[in-house]
Amino acid sequence: MVDHHEERDDDVLQPMSRAELEALRDLYAKHLPQEIHFYFLLQNQLSWNCKLDSWSEGEKRTLSVRAFIRFFKPKRDDGTTGTFVGISEDEDPNVYFHSLRETPEQLERYLEDTKRINWACRPVFSSFSDPFATVLGNVLKKFSCRYEVLSDCAYYLIGREEALQFQYEVPPNLVLRKLDTSYSDLMNERWPHRYPNSEKYIRLLVQLNGGLGLFNAANDDLAGWVLKNEFAGVGHLQVMPDYRRAGLGEILAKAMTKRIAEEDDEPVNAFIVDKNAVSIRLFLKLGYRRIDGSNWVRADYQE
């Protein structure tokens, strides 16, 4: 099988250096709030890259491949178009793509012409914007892939100063504390969007971004949790059935929102599946506002 991440001087897409990735992030910062999900994706990857600089190669091999998204730009790109394609390795293949200035037709040609995407691995095209849905549909048809919709989501945003004002009270029968990776399998089992290898993805978020859990003070049962996701935002909010209807989701959402605002000195984002009406009501109640929609699609390869 071809190594789709090998250095290919002849490919239409070329690897980005860390300096180029920083410049791309700074370019997207000028397009906030509309481009929040891509700005935070880039910012989070740069943060992970810095953290992993001190890890040994052996330690890195224990992580989900989603820790190592490689970003590519079109050959001869001058850095002003904001065009990129981000790809994780075949064990958990995710593809991110976007452009600020390229036409959909040009972006379609990049995706068609590059050899860096392994279509047979059924990659997930993550968080792409509505205007590029037709682009992806055309590309998947060319590579004999069915367009399998996984979820439609929207991104929400709250200002840092608003987030810092959040107050919450933990019930006396519960304790709020940081999560560790021993709970990763449970969180993955309860995640409605789990997939093969997703337990390593959940563990990765706990390891590199962290999470918060509410625990029963008497027996240490995990009542609910929330993680900081790969967009450096609030995600994976879950409350166990026996603890629902007690306001724990609001406590967790407020606690993680405030923590991210304190740590990152940025506005705080969250993305929510469109069908999750309960979470949407909660985050709107907290003061988040909807910014933009996004799409998650699997390229279901047909041999």
Side-chain angles (χ1 to χ4, degrees):
M1 180 174 289
V2 174
D3 180 357
H4 292 267
H5 285 174
E6 67 184 3
E7 300 310 316
R8 305 177 62 98
D9 292 338
D10 60 334
D11 198 273
V12 66
L13 297 177
Q14 296 298 299
M16 298 181 69
S17 67
R18 188 172 298 189
E20 289 174 324
L21 199 59
E22 291 171 348
L24 184 65
R25 174 209 51 201
D26 294 344
L27 176 61
Y28 272 82
K30 298 176 182 177
H31 293 266
L32 296 176
Q34 193 63 28
E35 304 292 351
I36 58 167
H37 43 315
F38 296 116
Y39 167 75
F40 281 114
L41 174 69
L42 295 164
Q43 174 67 357
N44 188 76
Q45 187 62 54
L46 284 164
S47 174
W48 283 2
N49 290 347
C50 289
K51 290 179 181 178
L52 292 172
D53 282 343
S54 62
W55 287 45
S56 70
E57 289 304 312
E59 289 172 325
K60 291 177 183 178
R61 282 194 291 272
T62 67
L63 294 175
S64 164
V65 296
R66 291 180 67 172
F68 309 103
I69 298 171
R70 292 192 66 192
F71 285 85
F72 302 89
K73 66 175 186 177
K75 212 169 186 178
R76 296 182 294 276
D77 185 88
D78 64 0
T80 65
T81 68
T83 304
F84 72 85
V85 178
I87 308 172
S88 60
E89 294 177 18
D90 292 348
E91 178 185 300
D92 190 350
N94 276 252
V95 180
Y96 304 84
F97 69 94
H98 196 61
S99 180
L100 297 173
R101 290 178 51 190
E102 296 275 23
T103 64
E105 294 76 16
Q106 184 60 59
L107 194 53
E108 184 175 319
R109 284 195 288 272
Y110 294 144
L111 293 174
E112 286 183 350
D113 293 344
T114 185
K115 301 298 188 296
R116 298 190 183 276
I117 300 173
N118 187 352
W119 299 97
C121 279
R122 303 175 68 239
V124 172
F125 285 79
S126 302
S127 188
F128 63 91
S129 298
D130 291 342
F132 293 123
T134 300
V135 166
L136 183 58
N138 293 340
V139 174
L140 296 192
K141 188 178 298 183
K142 175 180 177 181
F143 288 97
S144 302
C145 295
R146 188 165 60 87
Y147 190 100
E148 180 188 346
V149 177
L150 299 180
S151 62
D152 295 325
C153 304
Y155 285 81
Y156 297 78
L157 191 70
I158 191 169
R160 179 175 181 271
E161 294 306 317
E162 294 173 81
L164 291 175
Q165 299 306 311
F166 278 171
Q167 300 293 323
Y168 53 89
E169 184 174 342
V170 178
N173 64 319
L174 298 173
V175 176
L176 179 70
R177 68 171 189 259
K178 291 182 180 180
L179 290 167
D180 61 55
T181 56
S182 65
Y183 297 96
S184 299
D185 288 345
L186 171 62
M187 292 187 288
N188 182 64
E189 289 169 7
R190 304 295 303 186
W191 186 35
H193 305 289
R194 65 185 178 277
Y195 57 88
N197 291 316
S198 62
E199 70 280 356
K200 293 183 70 174
Y201 159 68
I202 297 295
R203 192 177 304 118
L204 171 70
L205 297 181
V206 177
Q207 287 173 297
L208 294 189
N209 278 358
L212 296 171
L214 281 168
F215 295 83
N216 188 309
N219 59 22
D220 213 34
D221 281 349
L222 181 57
W225 58 87
V226 64
L227 303 180
K228 181 179 180 182
N229 60 26
E230 71 269 34
F231 297 91
V234 181
H236 299 271
L237 175 61
Q238 293 275 335
V239 176
M240 295 293 278
D242 290 347
Y243 294 90
R244 289 175 184 164
R245 302 187 182 280
L248 303 191
E250 181 171 335
I251 293 171
L252 289 164
K254 282 183 172 180
M256 181 56 81
T257 298
K258 188 170 185 178
R259 175 186 163 186
I260 293 173
E262 291 171 343
E263 290 181 349
D264 295 352
D265 196 23
E266 299 254 31
V268 183
N269 79 92
F271 74 85
I272 306 171
V273 176
D274 289 346
K275 294 187 292 186
N276 192 341
V278 173
S279 287
I280 291 171
R281 285 196 299 269
L282 169 60
F283 280 82
L284 291 176
K285 172 187 172 184
L286 296 182
Y288 280 79
R289 64 189 189 280
R290 187 184 189 279
I291 300 298
D292 197 13
S294 69
N295 308 274
W296 302 70
V297 166
R298 184 181 298 283
D300 191 1
Y301 184 69
Q302 307 293 302
E303 293 189 38

